[in-house]
Amino acid sequence: MTTTIDQQKLQSLIESYKSDFPQHIGQEIYKWRAIAHFQKYWDIEADDFTSMLKLALDFKDDNLLAGAMYFPKRMIWRFAEFDEVRVKQMFIDLFDENNDLAKRINAFTESADDILKRWNPEKNHYQKDRAISTYLWLMFPDKYYIYKADCVKALLSNIGIDYKRQNKLKGRNVVNVYNIYDQVAEILRKDAELHQLLDAVLDEECYKDPMYRTVVIDFAYYLKEYYNKQTIISQNATNEQRIWLYAPGENARMWNACLQDSKMYLGWDPLENLSLYSSREAMKEKMIDAYGDKSSYTNDSLATYDFVHTVKSGDIIYVKQGLKKIIGRGTVVGDYEYHPERVEYKNARSVKWDKNGEWNVDNQLPMKTLTDITKYPNLTTMLQLMVEDNGEHNSSVDVKESYSKEKFLKEVYISASEYDHLYALLERKKNVILQGAPGVGKTFTAKRLAYAIMGEMDESRIEFVQFHQNYSYEDFVMGYKPTSDGGFELRAGVFHKFCNKAANDPNRKYFFIIDEINRGNLSKIFGELLMLIESDYRYKGDDKNMIRLAYSDKPFSVPNNLYIIGMMNTADRSLAMIDYALRRRFSFFSMKPGFDSEGFKEYQKVLNNDKFNALINKTKELNVRISELLGSGFEIGHSYFCNQTQITDEWLHSVVNYDIIPMLEEYWFDNSDEVNKWRDNLTE
């Protein structure tokens, strides 16, 4: 295994990580909190070791030691109940820094094997590399890392290291990866901008991570979950409307000129006409010539390139001042322009500005001059609500395209009868959850179902949120939020605002879409609204079903013209946590991979690519095997293969290696032979 890191590529990845950090970190801060929790409660000399172990590992977010087909925490707790003395000794030996690390890891697994034989040999103990490395990281967060196969592969492959786990090496695999992670940690720790970003989010409940070991873990997860996927998504989204965050000069000093001229201006005047550069690299080289090599210019060259080539007419621009204030919004209405006659800021795009004001943002905004925030629905939703609440919405900005059942069936790979059934469920129950395996197109289907029922693609009547472990009633319904002067004020949450919006337009239908609905604490998020979302308790012109909200003590109801569509993966075991009271209020519609639908067959016919067709056939065979071993809820969905106009080997490689194989490694983490067999089948 080569351990030479591609420094240039690593630096580019770090710049991307820093750029996305404000949007990404909110759902990942639990890792730093988990360390602090463990360090607070761990006591190997505790009189009741089993109770202490449960308390120390009982942090809020369970996915560190629990997940789809992965239950190490539950099993180590049961082992402690069965043989407390042996489990205590396992941890004593694991945390003994005087002995070889690889041997300690292997010994922990071997001890778990022995306990399992005595306790229940039909079970799986899950005490292997990933879980053991998590225990080590919690105990020694300045030295160790979580070893998670798909994250390891995402990081190492992106920095030019060809890594393949060797089964015969066992614990030595972890040590080898740790040696490389140490190099990455040292580079991350020297980044002053990353220091500032991290310091801004680590509160008193977080471990401060001085050696940046947890930052490396998060960096690897970011590459696996966001960077690799978004690279493919961005390649496929060139014709869709994008949403951008834009800074009009230092401290927004060009904003008045932008308003007066109906333009957005960009500097970098020494580069002259930006449209004459053939690539980002060419722009970067000119920046180095003009300004010196004091910076990598990675973000700067991306901004200049996007300004010319990626921003399109119809894109939405949100204007920022500093890192916590929005001051305007508009729609791009023209191509790139170069104005050599101007004294400064000679690069321009025509924009129809429809909002001008000041809106404070709680979380830090991206630092770049121009940032594509399309892939962050929570941020874009928040900006839309915040800006539109402060004035009448200018509907002339939106050009709504008609939409129908026929168009739905061309884009969504289900049958006409399934569409009719889904439509009827939603009309009757008002609340539907689309459930299915990863990649069956649940989110895509939800939005297009709303379009079809509305008869037009009206984004103003659709709200989109994503639940996560820290999502609260205060975010969703109402709560007190801090103000700039250090006080607090009562603010309506996203669902409360959308209900009011729908109630003020009773003759049209509105759709509230919730991604990852099973990942939130649903009873906590909905609160007293659990009753009001039920179809029989919707507002129908009288006050009999209204209730008073906990914070405002004012009567509230959910309007009858508002529909809720939730999505969840059946491969995610946390769906079992769904509140039964909520189950009663939703109808559940199961979505299957659509490879055999008429729509997908027509899509294949248009692409006319033998390699693509062969891969689809192999994926269908794989789904049969997955269904046999795990159940149909774990099958590979068709959406991984959609939205292509032509097929390239590079794209096929990305889908197999960055989407499908990592999922199989999660499914069969203890069955490498099965993974390797299907890796060979798919890559052939």
Side-chain angles (χ1 to χ4, degrees):
M1 177 182 69
T2 177
T3 56
T4 302
I5 294 176
D6 185 332
Q7 296 288 340
Q8 185 175 2
K9 180 61 175 174
L10 175 58
Q11 194 57 49
S12 175
L13 295 169
I14 293 172
E15 294 299 327
S16 178
Y17 177 61
K18 290 189 296 184
S19 174
D20 291 340
F21 190 87
Q23 291 75 43
H24 157 81
I25 196 62
Q27 296 185 37
E28 303 307 318
I29 198 72
Y30 70 87
K31 291 192 276 277
W32 287 266
R33 289 182 177 147
I35 296 173
H37 176 93
F38 179 87
Q39 298 275 325
K40 179 180 179 180
Y41 292 108
W42 180 261
D43 178 12
I44 195 68
E45 301 300 333
D47 293 336
D48 186 345
F49 173 82
T50 299
S51 296
M52 182 280 298
L53 177 66
K54 290 182 178 181
L55 180 60
L57 296 180
D58 191 22
F59 19 75
K60 293 180 181 179
D61 286 81
D62 235 12
N63 64 357
L64 289 170
L65 290 167
M69 305 298 291
Y70 180 66
F71 312 106
K73 180 165 68 174
R74 189 174 72 189
M75 294 306 294
I76 201 67
W77 285 351
R78 291 189 177 182
F79 279 9
E81 292 169 349
F82 175 71
D83 191 343
E84 182 179 82
V85 173
R86 181 69 179 273
V87 172
K88 178 177 179 178
Q89 191 60 48
M90 287 167 62
F91 280 98
I92 292 174
D93 294 342
L94 179 64
F95 295 156
D96 185 352
E97 292 287 271
N98 295 314
N99 295 321
D100 178 75
L101 176 58
K103 291 180 180 178
R104 285 185 273 152
I105 293 171
N106 294 339
F108 197 96
T109 298
E110 290 164 4
S111 294
D113 289 339
D114 179 67
I115 296 177
L116 190 69
K117 290 176 184 177
R118 294 185 286 119
W119 180 67
N120 188 343
E122 299 300 319
K123 297 285 187 179
N124 187 330
H125 59 61
Y126 305 100
Q127 308 305 310
K128 297 184 180 179
D129 296 351
R130 176 178 167 187
I132 298 170
S133 65
T134 302
Y135 303 143
L136 285 164
W137 162 73
L138 290 166
M139 186 66 187
F140 303 108
D142 290 343
K143 186 172 183 178
Y144 297 127
Y145 312 85
I146 297 175
Y147 178 98
K148 193 167 183 286
D150 52 358
C151 293
V152 169
K153 182 174 291 185
L155 175 52
L156 270 54
S157 62
N158 273 300
I159 61 176
I161 295 177
D162 181 19
Y163 172 74
K164 293 181 180 177
R165 185 181 185 279
Q166 302 295 319
N167 288 336
K168 62 182 179 180
L169 294 181
K170 297 183 179 179
R172 185 57 54 184
N173 286 296
V174 179
V175 176
N176 289 339
V177 168
Y178 278 2
N179 292 335
I180 302 171
Y181 272 25
D182 283 345
Q183 299 177 54
V184 177
E186 190 63 24
I187 294 170
L188 288 169
R189 199 157 57 92
K190 293 177 180 178
D191 193 300
E193 184 182 354
L194 188 55
H195 269 288
Q196 295 176 354
L197 290 169
L198 192 64
D199 288 346
V201 297
L202 294 184
D203 57 27
E204 66 279 357
E205 295 182 4
C206 296
Y207 183 72
K208 297 308 179 184
D209 197 19
M211 301 304 293
Y212 273 46
R213 267 42 179 178
T214 306
V215 174
V216 173
I217 295 168
D218 188 63
F219 181 50
Y221 175 77
Y222 162 79
L223 294 177
K224 172 249 177 181
E225 193 65 21
Y226 295 95
Y227 180 82
N228 287 337
K229 292 181 179 179
Q230 291 303 330
T231 298
I232 298 171
I233 290 171
S234 62
Q235 293 170 352
N236 299 336
T238 54
N239 294 323
E240 296 182 1
Q241 182 193 63
R242 295 176 186 265
I243 303 174
W244 300 87
L245 198 61
Y246 159 68
E250 303 89 349
N251 199 32
R253 67 181 180 86
M254 298 299 296
W255 178 227
N256 286 336
C258 291
L259 283 171
Q260 291 170 8
D261 302 341
S262 295
K263 303 285 187 185
M264 60 186 295
Y265 289 114
L266 195 70
W268 300 101
D269 296 330
L271 276 68
E272 299 181 333
N273 190 335
L274 298 178
S275 66
L276 300 180
Y277 292 86
S278 59
S279 66
R280 275 182 61 194
E281 287 302 316
M283 292 178 173
K284 187 186 298 185
E285 291 174 8
K286 181 62 176 178
M287 290 175 179
I288 294 173
D289 289 341
Y291 299 97
D293 58 358
K294 60 183 179 181
S295 167
S296 68
Y297 299 104
T298 300
N299 284 339
D300 300 321
S301 60
L302 178 60
T304 52
Y305 185 86
D306 281 344
F307 192 78
V308 179
H309 298 288
T310 312
V311 175
K312 304 291 183 186
S313 291
D315 285 1
I316 301 299
I317 308 293
Y318 284 96
V319 185
K320 65 173 181 172
Q321 181 178 25
L323 298 178
K324 290 200 171 185
K325 184 183 290 185
I326 297 296
I327 57 175
R329 185 187 68 182
T331 304
V332 179
V333 293
D335 295 332
Y336 168 76
E337 306 165 7
Y338 179 60
H339 295 275
E341 74 283 357
R342 287 181 58 84
V343 175
E344 62 173 350
Y345 285 78
K346 300 178 180 182
N347 306 289
R349 304 288 298 249
S350 292
V351 179
K352 183 177 182 179
W353 301 112
D354 71 306
K355 293 293 180 182
N356 176 28
E358 289 190 5
W359 299 269
N360 293 318
V361 180
D362 292 336
N363 297 321
Q364 181 173 306
L365 296 167
M367 301 175 72
K368 288 193 302 182
T369 300
L370 185 67
T371 308
D372 183 356
I373 58 172
T374 312
K375 59 188 176 184
Y376 300 112
N378 286 350
L379 175 60
T380 57
T381 297
M382 181 269 290
L383 293 179
Q384 179 187 1
L385 284 170
M386 182 174 63
V387 172
E388 290 186 0
D389 275 354
N390 199 16
E392 292 299 320
H393 175 58
N394 183 358
S395 61
S396 63
V397 173
D398 301 318
V399 179
K400 301 178 185 68
E401 181 181 344
S402 63
Y403 203 87
S404 63
K405 172 184 175 181
E406 291 69 29
K407 192 165 185 178
F408 176 95
L409 293 174
K410 288 181 179 179
E411 294 187 327
V412 180
Y413 299 140
I414 65 175
S415 67
S417 61
E418 287 176 312
Y419 169 85
D420 292 338
H421 180 54
L422 179 56
Y423 185 5
L425 280 178
L426 190 58
E427 282 290 352
R428 177 178 61 84
K429 201 76 173 252
K430 301 291 183 185
N431 312 311
V432 165
I433 288 179
L434 305 180
Q435 62 179 2
V440 293
K442 296 180 287 295
T443 303
F444 187 84
T445 300
K447 289 196 74 171
R448 276 145 188 83
L449 177 63
Y451 294 156
I453 295 174
M454 290 188 293
E456 59 183 357
M457 300 175 71
D458 187 354
E459 292 289 343
S460 69
R461 289 192 275 149
I462 297 176
E463 192 62 66
F464 186 100
V465 299
Q466 185 179 63
F467 281 179
H468 52 80
Q469 292 90 342
N470 294 325
Y471 205 84
S472 67
Y473 177 91
E474 288 74 15
D475 300 313
F476 194 65
V477 183
M478 180 173 287
Y480 284 95
K481 299 289 184 179
T483 60
S484 58
D485 60 3
F488 289 86
E489 65 180 7
L490 187 61
R491 294 184 195 167
V494 59
F495 187 70
H496 186 289
K497 292 178 181 178
F498 197 68
C499 284
N500 288 340
K501 188 176 182 179
N504 290 328
D505 189 11
N507 295 322
R508 298 197 297 171
K509 295 178 179 179
Y510 283 71
F511 296 83
F512 195 89
I513 300 175
I514 306 172
D515 193 19
E516 305 280 10
I517 191 170
N518 53 301
R519 288 196 173 273
N521 184 331
L522 298 174
S523 296
K524 175 184 174 184
I525 292 171
F526 279 91
E528 63 268 44
L529 300 193
L530 264 180
M531 180 185 78
L532 294 185
I533 66 171
E534 195 167 350
S535 59
D536 291 343
Y537 290 92
R538 296 296 186 91
Y539 179 75
K540 300 180 178 66
D542 54 54
D543 297 338
K544 67 178 183 179
N545 291 327
M546 302 185 82
I547 62 174
R548 292 186 177 274
L549 296 181
Y551 281 100
S552 67
D553 197 35
K554 293 180 179 179
F556 182 79
S557 63
V558 178
N560 199 44
N561 61 325
L562 187 147
Y563 299 81
I564 302 175
I565 305 175
M567 290 91 71
M568 66 183 189
N569 284 334
T570 46
D572 187 342
R573 287 300 179 185
S574 58
L575 64 86
M577 302 299 291
I578 285 221
D579 193 299
Y580 282 101
L582 197 67
R583 284 184 179 275
R584 186 166 59 83
R585 289 163 170 84
F586 280 82
S587 291
F588 286 73
F589 183 87
S590 295
M591 297 187 63
K592 305 292 184 182
F595 298 117
D596 293 324
S597 68
E598 293 302 318
F600 193 86
K601 290 177 181 177
E602 182 62 28
Y603 169 64
Q604 280 186 270
K605 184 178 178 181
V606 171
L607 290 175
N608 190 27
N609 184 281
D610 291 338
K611 285 187 179 180
F612 180 79
N613 293 337
L615 178 59
I616 296 303
N617 289 334
K618 283 295 180 185
T619 304
K620 290 163 66 175
E621 293 176 17
L622 170 60
N623 278 342
V624 172
R625 182 61 173 161
I626 290 174
S627 184
E628 290 173 352
L629 296 180
L630 301 174
S632 61
F634 293 82
E635 293 177 354
I636 306 299
H638 58 269
S639 67
Y640 293 112
F641 306 92
C642 294
N643 300 322
Q644 298 301 301
T645 55
Q646 61 179 4
I647 301 299
T648 64
D649 287 353
E650 181 181 7
W651 179 79
L652 291 171
H653 171 86
S654 296
V655 172
V656 171
N657 288 283
Y658 294 130
D659 289 323
I660 300 177
I661 297 301
M663 201 180 313
L664 298 184
E665 289 173 334
E666 283 292 309
Y667 287 174
W668 294 317
F669 69 92
D670 58 348
N671 190 348
S672 59
D673 290 340
E674 193 75 30
V675 174
N676 291 333
K677 180 183 79 172
W678 285 103
R679 178 186 285 110
D680 293 341
N681 286 341
L682 295 171
T683 54
E684 283 176 0

